[in-house]
Amino acid sequence: AQSVAQPEDQVNVAEGNPLTVKCTYSVSGNPYLFWYVQYPNRGLQFLLKYITGDNLVKGSYGFEAEFNKSQTSFHLKKPSALVSDSALYFCAVRSSSGNTPLVFGKGTRLSVIA
Amino acid sequence: EAGVAQSPRYKIIEKRQSVAFWCNPISGHATLYWYQQILGQGPKLLIQFQNNGVVDDSQLPKDRFSAERLKGVDSTLKIQPAKLEDSAVYLCASSLVGGTSTDTQYFGPGTRLTVL
């Protein structure tokens, strides 16, 4: 069965500092990995995805994520955090084997402090 | 390009009542998904349609939940009768093709359901 772990419920970072939101996964077959962001009272917005190829994926709003197969991780990063980045971030995984559902982690709340 | 539309945005009902949610996906998207997001958790897939056929409804509580996608466009999710534990945000998403696992899903704003 597929699963995603986001080990931190909350991440606090000062504005201008780099940020990392952690994600590890478990899946049979090759993983397809996604990051979404959720602002209050809004749906999930797609940030980026890893399908194949370069392990470093660049996405929207200056975010990037690094796929590490040996560590089964897909951490989200940004070089310089903004207060407006404060939101709930979800990592999700889908298996390359068949039409399996997209499975989400429980989310990490990012708080960027001015 | 218009995004995924959902209505209503908020709904409060008493237990044992019925409720329905509506979703209009992005134009041209063949696949439509309904998710349930309970507070403090990630979204969980309830049902997936490809055009007007059901692809996956393995996690849909079929004794009380039903969904349809007539004509392969709009979709309605119904709960009858509602229970307290159904309080959640119901998210609709769509993707262009859906038959491939690499497809990006785009989400609507959700409907927040409170069951009293």
Side-chain angles (χ1 to χ4, degrees):
Chain A
Q2 302 161 173
S3 66
V4 173
Q6 293 183 242
E8 301 154 319
D9 290 338
Q10 172 104 21
V11 170
N12 298 318
V13 64
E15 187 176 31
N17 282 3
L19 69 87
T20 298
V21 182
K22 296 180 180 176
C23 170
T24 59
Y25 66 89
S26 173
V27 69
S28 57
N30 291 320
Y32 298 141
L33 294 152
F34 301 77
W35 275 103
Y36 285 85
V37 60
Q38 187 173 37
Y39 296 98
N41 299 315
R42 297 178 67 176
L44 278 69
Q45 294 180 31
F46 170 72
L47 282 178
L48 51 81
K49 66 181 178 183
Y50 171 81
I51 303 302
T52 187
D54 194 345
N55 289 343
L56 185 63
V57 179
K58 294 188 183 296
S60 306
Y61 313 119
F63 284 93
E64 58 189 28
E66 186 164 15
F67 171 63
N68 187 315
K69 188 172 183 177
S70 63
Q71 297 186 5
T72 62
S73 68
F74 189 56
H75 301 331
L76 182 69
K77 300 180 181 184
K78 187 174 182 182
S80 178
L82 300 173
V83 172
S84 56
D85 293 330
S86 298
L88 192 55
Y89 290 80
F90 290 95
C91 181
V93 68
R94 206 170 183 182
S95 170
S96 62
S97 304
N99 187 26
T100 56
L102 189 61
V103 173
F104 286 84
K106 62 181 173 64
T108 298
R109 186 165 299 281
L110 173 67
S111 180
V112 181
I113 304 157
Chain B
E1 177 183 83
V4 176
Q6 290 187 247
S7 67
R9 293 295 311 278
Y10 305 92
K11 191 74 176 178
I12 300 173
I13 62 172
E14 296 193 349
K15 59 183 179 184
R16 292 187 289 274
Q17 286 187 324
S18 63
V19 65
F21 313 126
W22 173 82
C23 173
N24 183 246
I26 293 172
S27 177
H29 279 197
T31 304
L32 185 147
Y33 312 79
W34 283 102
Y35 287 86
Q36 180 191 58
Q37 184 180 14
I38 292 173
L39 187 64
Q41 299 180 20
K44 183 186 82 171
L45 180 69
L46 291 175
I47 189 167
Q48 175 185 343
F49 293 94
Q50 183 142 358
N51 297 310
N52 59 352
V54 176
V55 173
D56 182 357
D57 64 355
S58 57
Q59 298 190 84
L60 187 73
K62 298 180 185 66
D63 57 334
R64 297 184 300 106
F65 286 64
S66 65
E68 61 182 9
R69 190 183 185 198
L70 300 176
K71 300 180 182 179
V73 182
D74 294 8
S75 177
T76 301
L77 176 70
K78 296 180 182 178
I79 308 175
Q80 182 178 11
K83 294 185 175 181
L84 296 177
E85 58 261 36
D86 297 333
S87 294
V89 175
Y90 291 85
L91 295 164
C92 180
S94 69
S95 64
L96 187 59
V97 177
T100 167
S101 300
T102 64
D103 229 15
T104 298
Q105 296 180 26
Y106 296 93
F107 286 78
T111 296
R112 182 177 298 277
L113 174 67
T114 302
V115 182
L116 302 175

